[in-house]
Amino acid sequence: MINIYSNLSKKRDIASTLAKSLENPESGNINNPNQSRVIVVTSGKGGVGKTTTAANLGMSMARLGYRVALIDADIGLRNLDLLLGLENRILYTAMEVLDGQCRLDQALIRDKRWKNLSLLSISKNRQRYNITRQGMTNLIESIQNLGYQFILIDCPAGIDVGFVNAIAPAKEALILTTPEITAIRDADRVAGLLEANEIYNVKLIVNRVRPDMIKSNDMMSVRDVQEMLGIPLLGAIPEDSHVIISTNRGEPLVMKKRLTLSGIAFENAARRLVGKQDYLIDLETPYKGIFKRAQDFFFGSENVD
Ligand code: ADP
Ligand code: MG
């Protein structure tokens, strides 16, 4: 396995990345409520879970009490609104804001369930709109001025047009990958692109992990993926059919009363992202054991059947 992948990563120098992110005042905990963190959620390969992750992390952080703005910058492939169940409430997008046809607050849709969570779409579905770097930067600055503490940008995949403009205002990035060699190789490329755009505070989320396949040596472990890319790990999310159910319902997984393992994993990633000192949930401990322990942790053992 090592031979196939050895030329993949330049083995980014984690120490220097961390040092750079420490120099960045916008990384780490938010102690000052006026400070905000602008984070792009990106990947090399498409379809690896960016939008699912943006919706769940955003909702989870809002539930933790932070003011969160989610930006759907995947122009032409917009679907963050569907995952949040907000598709019928979008009258205006950033296009109209930048063209002076409406105010920012008219395009920034507040979630009814959590009023501290808002969504802004860059353009309507199937509408090609080339937002410039400057346009994107101005837009994010205006949202920061409204007092949002976290601005999560759901980005196009790294090789798509629009990627470079969408990441312009960000100081941090989350790279999504699945434990497959194609997605990992593309994640490595996107990590290079982020570095070239001076985004050094980068964290990894490995999605669609199958502990049973890892056990039978049919899938790379989360640790393997992390070591190959040399990017600090924020979270690992298991493959879970509930993701599809929650997408269809327009309710992010983290809203369920009784969380599934993927919901717990997203919540764990959100807590780590805001700077809480939670340990990473280890998906590779025997499935039932970790699931039961995680549920016990969140709800107490009497709630678990
Ligand atoms: P992207 O935004 O990167 O294109 P999406 O978030 O739209 O990816 O996810 C692509 C597809 O994969 C969707 O159908 C989604 O429901 C599914 N998916 C994402 N994460 C998981 C998961 N952990 N388990 C099962 N299905 C998932
Ligand atoms: Mg998407």
Side-chain angles (χ1 to χ4, degrees), residues 164-282:
V164 177
N165 296 343
I167 65 170
K171 298 277 185 296
E172 300 177 48
L174 300 180
I175 299 187
L176 262 285
T177 185
T178 54
E180 290 162 272
I181 187 59
T182 47
I184 298 169
R185 186 167 57 193
D186 293 352
D188 191 59
R189 285 206 193 112
V190 100
L193 285 177
L194 290 167
E195 229 172 62
N197 283 276
E198 295 175 4
I199 300 178
Y200 302 114
N201 186 347
V202 178
K203 297 190 183 82
L204 181 70
I205 296 186
V206 185
N207 188 23
R208 309 194 80 151
V209 176
R210 293 264 311 262
D212 55 331
M213 287 180 71
I214 295 173
K215 209 169 159 209
S216 59
N217 267 333
D218 292 321
M219 184 178 267
M220 270 175 269
S221 72
V222 173
R223 192 53 62 192
D224 282 345
V225 176
Q226 193 267 321
E227 281 176 5
M228 247 175 245
L229 288 167
I231 301 169
L233 190 63
L234 180 76
I237 317 294
E239 169 81 26
D240 185 354
S241 56
H242 288 96
V243 171
I244 296 153
I245 301 170
S246 81
T247 301
N248 292 337
R249 288 201 184 134
E251 268 188 19
L253 282 165
V254 292
M255 295 192 69
K256 281 176 90 71
K257 277 216 178 75
R258 182 177 290 189
L259 291 179
T260 60
L261 183 58
S262 53
I264 291 168
F266 276 123
E267 193 135 282
N268 179 247
R271 292 175 65 85
R272 287 162 56 82
L273 185 60
V274 302
K276 295 196 186 291
Q277 304 294 311
D278 291 19
Y279 286 110
L280 182 79
I281 286 189
D282 178 8

Side-chain angles (χ1 to χ4, degrees), residues 87-98:
E87 68 276 15
N88 295 327
R89 299 199 27 226
I90 300 181
L91 292 179
Y92 299 110
T93 65
M95 262 180 76
E96 285 84 25
V97 179
L98 291 169

